Amino acid sequence: MSDSHKYCPSLIDYKRRETIEVNIGGVPMGANNPIRVQSMTTVDTMDTEGSIEQSIRMVESGCEYVRITAPSIKEAQNLEEIKRGLRAKGYQVPLVADIHFTPNAAELAAKIVEKVRVNPGNYADKKKFEELAYTDETYELELKRIRQKFEPLVKLCKEHGTAMRIGTNHGSLSDRIMGRFGDTPLGMVESALEFLRICEDLEFYDIVISMKASNTRVMVQAYRLLVHKLEEEGLRPYPLHLGVTEAGDGEDGRIKSAVGIGALLEDGLGDTVRVSLTEEPEFEAPVAQALVDRYSDRAGHGAIAPLAESPVNPFVYERRVTQEVLNLGDHNVPRVIADFSKKGKIEIKDLKEIGHFYLPEPDKWRMNDTGADYIYSGINPIEFMLPNGLQEIIDYSVWKDLSDQNNKYPLVTIDELSTVDKEQVTFVSMEANELNKIDQLQGHTQAIILLHTANKHAMASLRRFVFELIIKELTLPIVINWHQEISDKEDFQLASATDIGGLLIDGLGDGVMLAGNGNKKVENETAFGILQAARTRMTKTEYISCPSCGRTLFDLQETTAMIRKRTDHLKGVKIGIMGCIVNGPGEMADADYGYVGSGKDKITLYRGQEVVKRAVHSDYAVDELIQIIKDDGSWVEPEAIDAILN
Ligand code: SF4
């Protein structure tokens, strides 16, 4: 890796980034400590018993730190009661106070809990959404003002042995940062560095940093850039707290978290993980732990070929330049191939699992939003006529004798490739360590590489292969062929999303073929879920919903479920659902529509970042939201057929 692109210890060997150790109430983080798991309560902080009970459930589920919101002095004060209650019941878990806007609450909390999280976007600034142009002079004055506000907290933390997280959030950058750097990974990094420089100047180093966003691409780039900038500026290697904000719920939330958090863990970044789900907080730690556990025996993986310099810029997204073969590569969205090669005889009804439905009346095929693009049938060619939109891949040994090869393509090994005509559309199976065979692809203009790896360090091994193609200027499309025998659905989703997501985030990969779970519906939907989470192919409505916390102004889980029920047929529309205003407007930059709590039973509705309706009663807010979507012409009625298909 060239110095100008360095962000992790190695792109080929699994190694954790070396960091300083930060002590948080006797549970140290960073250095050689395990990657810690944490979460945040959702009950009102003034509900002492509720907070204690929920914290205990979180600890029992694996949480090593418990974060609790402190929106004002009275909640900060109540942290003392919560802490006392937990200790009395024998729970020593370190507590973290979550602060937005209120330095006085932070200063009080710093004397009570083991760690304070500040959001540099709103600690010293009230967001006014003003576009301000700063000269170097006025910018300097702003930094002085921030220091005045922030310095007392740093001094208190130092005095009381309280750690701090400087937690930047893409959705709540200050007007100052937005004015100078925009809504960018660099803006996020600079937002944290402004605060970090003050801490270092005051010789306070018990700091953890985070760079969260709901957009996985932005989030990954921001963490990488942060590591790079810390080193470039000679600042200490502080531990990283990883998280994707507003990941949503259920499978989508898990897959999205795995794509973002996993991409960083693969490169050895991250010292603590918080998975944010719009669910009860005790469901978060097991997911975080499953992501972290993948690295417990990662060191000592199979060797990956050395790499002199990475051919991609890890701080910006650029899709690998490829040529179009069939509907793969170039500007096509990544395609999904369903692997039925182990199935034996394939029947019409089997295609239901991959989104293609045969309706005897009116004798037609219909496809839902997650209809696979290709099916790989191995040595068992499909005997019925395939629906439009589905093409077949067959092992070469069988394909070559077929009388009808229309919409059917051969799969060869790289060693068989020389027997195939150079102009023939051909899928070529390759193992990621076969770098020495890449030259055999030269001259084949219609080949599509189906790339797999047996290496435990899968993402890095696959990436290394793609890098070699870039270095050799070969532009054939690549489909990632990921196969691991994991029958547990959630484990399968987390592992595949981590390995494949890490590639897609860097623009590497023109399709995916997933197998190993055994359930074809799970494999197919996971493939589409990963593409969506990595923002490469949008096939369903995306819900950017916050996990909720003590600030939440309505029942987030219930509301998200209700909005999902009415809108989840809207392909590609992004809806933000935020419990309060803290991250609301910022995250709206990433959403098409927003539903944000603004007071008791009161909702503010957004179109992008623009407020469309204020103070709508929650009884009517979902209807109003749908009306806004209709007024924009973005609404479609759910087809009656969807009821049959799903
Ligand atoms: S956006 Fe949600 S999780 Fe974040 S502070 Fe508001 S209510 Fe809490």
Side-chain angles (χ1 to χ4, degrees):
M1 223 177 317
S2 75
D3 280 353
S4 62
H5 286 167
K6 191 161 170 26
Y7 68 90
C8 69
S10 169
L11 289 173
I12 54 169
D13 293 322
Y14 177 73
K15 270 189 212 131
R16 255 180 84 189
R17 166 178 170 258
E18 285 179 20
T19 72
I20 59 167
E21 181 175 89
V22 173
N23 182 26
I24 302 162
V27 182
M29 184 196 295
N32 292 323
N33 294 293
I35 301 171
R36 306 287 186 192
V37 162
Q38 61 172 296
S39 179
M40 185 168 180
T41 58
T42 57
V43 295
D44 186 335
T45 309
M46 294 312 290
D47 175 358
T48 309
E49 274 317 302
S51 298
I52 293 170
E53 292 307 318
Q54 192 173 52
S55 299
I56 291 173
R57 289 198 296 280
M58 287 159 63
V59 172
E60 299 294 344
S61 75
C63 234
E64 295 174 276
Y65 310 112
V66 169
R67 181 155 51 109
I68 303 175
T69 189
S72 73
I73 283 272
K74 72 179 192 316
E75 287 89 356
Q77 186 60 55
N78 204 46
L79 292 173
E80 195 158 27
E81 294 306 312
I82 297 168
K83 183 172 173 178
R84 191 175 298 131
L86 280 167
R87 301 294 180 259
K89 291 182 189 243
Y91 289 88
Q92 302 304 325
V93 62
L95 299 184
V96 185
D98 196 62
I99 305 291
H100 297 272
F101 302 116
T102 44
N104 57 359
E107 287 160 22
L108 176 58
K111 299 179 200 160
I112 299 170
V113 294
E114 285 77 15
K115 184 171 152 208
V116 175
R117 178 270 170 122
V118 296
N119 177 344
N122 59 29
Y123 191 78
D125 296 89
K126 293 262 179 293
K127 204 157 170 58
K128 300 192 187 91
F129 296 96
E130 286 171 355
E131 278 192 30
L132 302 172
Y134 290 93
T135 62
D136 287 352
E137 220 173 25
T138 52
Y139 204 90
E140 258 327 293
L141 281 175
E142 277 288 291
L143 293 181
K144 280 201 179 116
R145 184 181 64 79
I146 291 169
R147 181 164 181 145
Q148 264 176 10
K149 284 218 173 186
F150 184 50
E151 196 171 306
L153 176 66
V154 177
K155 288 184 169 161
L156 277 168
C157 285
K158 214 173 150 184
E159 188 186 330
H160 291 266
T162 308
M164 180 188 290
R165 168 157 68 100
I166 301 177
T168 299
N169 196 308
H170 185 221
S172 49
L173 295 173
S174 65
D175 291 342
R176 179 185 61 263
I177 287 286
M178 292 287 278
R180 181 158 282 201
F181 301 95
D183 192 6
T184 60
L186 180 61
M188 293 170 68
V189 171
E190 191 54 34
S191 168
L193 292 184
E194 287 179 353
F195 279 61
L196 188 63
R197 292 182 196 114
I198 298 169
C199 294
E200 285 220 345
D201 198 43
L202 295 167
E203 297 179 347
F204 176 65
Y205 307 107
D206 287 333
I207 297 164
V208 179
I209 313 176
S210 63
M211 294 280 126
K212 297 194 191 182
S214 74
N215 177 327
T216 50
R217 210 181 267 168
V218 168
M219 172 256 184
V220 169
Q221 288 165 2
Y223 277 100
R224 288 174 174 175
L225 196 58
L226 169 71
V227 173
H228 179 77
K229 291 276 177 196
L230 287 175
E231 202 159 304
E232 193 180 60
E233 247 187 69
L235 298 160
R236 298 186 179 208
Y238 294 96
L240 302 179
H241 164 126
L242 305 186
V244 174
T245 49
E246 290 98 25
D249 59 357
E251 291 175 21
D252 293 347
R254 283 161 177 77
I255 291 174
K256 194 170 179 186
S257 299
V259 166
I261 295 169
L264 296 161
L265 290 172
E266 285 290 318
D267 282 329
L269 306 187
D271 303 280
T272 181
V273 170
R274 190 262 168 123
V275 168
S276 303
L277 300 173
T278 310
E279 298 177 17
E280 291 303 313
E282 56 267 35
F283 294 151
E284 295 183 344
V287 179
Q289 195 61 54
L291 290 176
V292 167
D293 283 347
R294 298 188 75 232
Y295 305 92
S296 57
D297 60 352
R298 183 62 63 92
H301 58 80
I304 298 175
L307 175 72
E309 194 170 316
S310 165
V312 305
N313 180 345
F315 310 128
V316 293
Y317 177 79
E318 222 172 290
R319 186 166 171 191
R320 174 184 160 241
V321 175
T322 54
Q323 65 204 62
E324 184 178 56
V325 182
L326 295 174
N327 59 0
L328 287 131
D330 194 22
H331 293 300
N332 290 292
V333 291
R335 302 295 170 184
V336 171
I337 303 179
D339 182 358
F340 275 60
S341 60
K342 304 275 183 299
K343 177 98 183 69
K345 189 173 159 61
I346 301 164
E347 316 265 3
I348 284 183
K349 66 176 172 28
D350 296 328
L351 300 196
K352 240 169 133 170
E353 296 173 331
I354 57 168
H356 293 271
F357 302 79
Y358 177 69
L359 307 176
E361 278 299 323
D363 183 24
K364 278 206 169 109
W365 285 92
R366 295 300 297 256
M367 185 172 90
N368 69 13
D369 291 341
T370 53
D373 304 291
Y374 292 85
I375 181 164
Y376 169 42
S377 58
I379 56 166
N380 296 299
I382 293 174
E383 289 167 8
F384 51 89
M385 199 202 265
L386 286 176
N388 272 341
L390 185 65
Q391 306 185 67
E392 189 178 357
I393 305 163
I394 304 167
D395 283 351
Y396 179 65
S397 57
V398 174
W399 175 85
K400 66 181 172 27
D401 299 325
L402 288 180
S403 53
D404 175 13
Q405 295 176 334
N406 196 24
N407 282 340
K408 299 169 196 278
Y409 305 99
L411 174 68
V412 298
T413 64
I414 183 71
D415 295 325
E416 285 171 333
L417 184 62
S418 59
T419 59
V420 178
D421 189 311
K422 287 198 162 157
E423 303 302 316
Q424 165 65 45
V425 173
T426 310
F427 286 81
V428 187
S429 174
M430 292 190 77
E431 154 66 47
N433 63 10
E434 292 181 316
L435 297 189
N436 56 341
K437 297 188 178 176
I438 283 179
D439 285 340
Q440 294 179 37
L441 294 162
Q442 298 283 8
H444 284 267
T445 57
Q446 296 297 304
I448 299 145
I449 302 166
L450 199 54
L451 184 67
H452 63 278
T453 182
N455 198 311
K456 202 187 289 173
H457 201 25
M459 194 280 277
S461 140
L462 295 163
R463 180 174 61 190
R464 177 67 190 89
F465 182 96
V466 188
F467 280 177
E468 195 67 15
L469 288 186
I470 297 174
I471 292 164
K472 295 202 148 138
E473 296 181 0
L474 263 165
T475 56
L476 298 172
I478 289 190
V479 174
I480 307 301
N481 172 11
W482 190 94
H483 185 134
Q484 283 187 26
E485 296 296 326
I486 306 175
S487 56
D488 181 83
K489 180 176 164 185
E490 185 172 307
D491 289 345
F492 178 83
Q493 290 175 327
L494 295 178
S496 56
T498 298
D499 287 344
I500 297 169
L503 298 166
L504 296 172
I505 291 272
D506 278 329
L508 312 176
D510 306 290
V512 292
M513 179 162 97
L514 286 191
N517 174 262
N519 181 329
K520 294 294 152 203
K521 190 166 193 283
V522 168
E523 291 169 2
N524 188 59
E525 288 184 352
T526 303
F528 278 98
I530 294 170
L531 295 179
Q532 171 125 355
R535 310 179 78 78
T536 52
R537 180 172 179 176
M538 309 307 263
T539 42
K540 38 191 171 173
T541 324
E542 180 162 340
Y543 300 95
I544 304 171
S545 59
C546 82
S548 93
C549 71
R551 286 176 173 268
T552 311
L553 296 163
F554 54 87
D555 185 328
L556 236 135
Q557 289 179 44
E558 202 178 279
T559 307
T560 304
M562 188 162 66
I563 295 176
R564 185 187 279 278
K565 197 168 152 205
R566 308 247 329 248
T567 60
D568 74 355
H569 62 287
L570 298 177
K571 196 164 157 175
V573 173
K574 297 200 265 329
I575 301 179
I577 308 164
M578 306 289 157
C580 79
I581 204 73
V582 166
N583 294 328
E587 291 295 356
M588 290 309 135
D590 217 45
D592 302 312
Y593 299 98
Y595 183 107
V596 180
S598 54
K600 183 146 177 25
D601 298 326
K602 292 280 177 289
I603 306 297
T604 299
L605 298 170
Y606 289 75
R607 177 189 296 114
Q609 281 189 305
E610 171 207 352
V611 172
V612 186
K613 289 203 165 162
R614 288 183 201 278
V616 181
H617 195 281
S618 53
D619 286 355
Y620 319 110
V622 178
D623 289 333
E624 292 281 352
L625 174 72
I626 289 170
Q627 193 53 50
I628 294 169
I629 301 175
K630 284 183 175 167
D631 293 346
D632 288 352
S634 305
W635 179 262
V636 282
E637 290 303 330
E639 271 192 84
I641 196 76
D642 284 346
I644 305 170
L645 304 188
N646 291 307

